[in-house]
Amino acid sequence: LEAARRYVAAAAAYEHPGTAAPPAAWWSAYTSTAPWEAARDLDDWVRRHADPATDPDVDPGPAPVSGALMRYGTGGA
């Protein structure tokens, strides 16, 4: 969970460069109330930002975040 929080913070910083602290309170509430929807949103973000031109060996696959949740046995919707 902490790794996901760090990832979200990095994604927010990437999407909003130059801001000291991107607003993240909404994300915390979202992940608490709708964890699978949040994971799928992160899946979309990862797939959009995967760049085969700079790293052709990286394929995030169809569910880079939500798939990890399934592997760790957290269930899912």
Side-chain angles (χ1 to χ4, degrees):
L1 186 56
E2 182 57 34
R5 287 185 182 125
R6 287 192 307 265
Y7 182 79
V8 169
Y14 179 86
E15 291 290 330
H16 305 283
T19 59
W26 68 270
W27 182 258
S28 180
Y30 183 44
T31 59
S32 296
T33 59
W36 282 96
E37 289 82 359
R40 286 189 287 271
D41 287 345
L42 286 174
D43 288 340
D44 292 340
W45 189 92
V46 170
R47 286 190 306 267
R48 281 194 323 271
H49 290 85
D51 187 0
T54 59
D55 199 348
D57 295 329
V58 174
D59 177 9
V65 177
S66 62
L69 295 178
M70 289 300 288
R71 284 191 301 276
Y72 292 114
T74 59

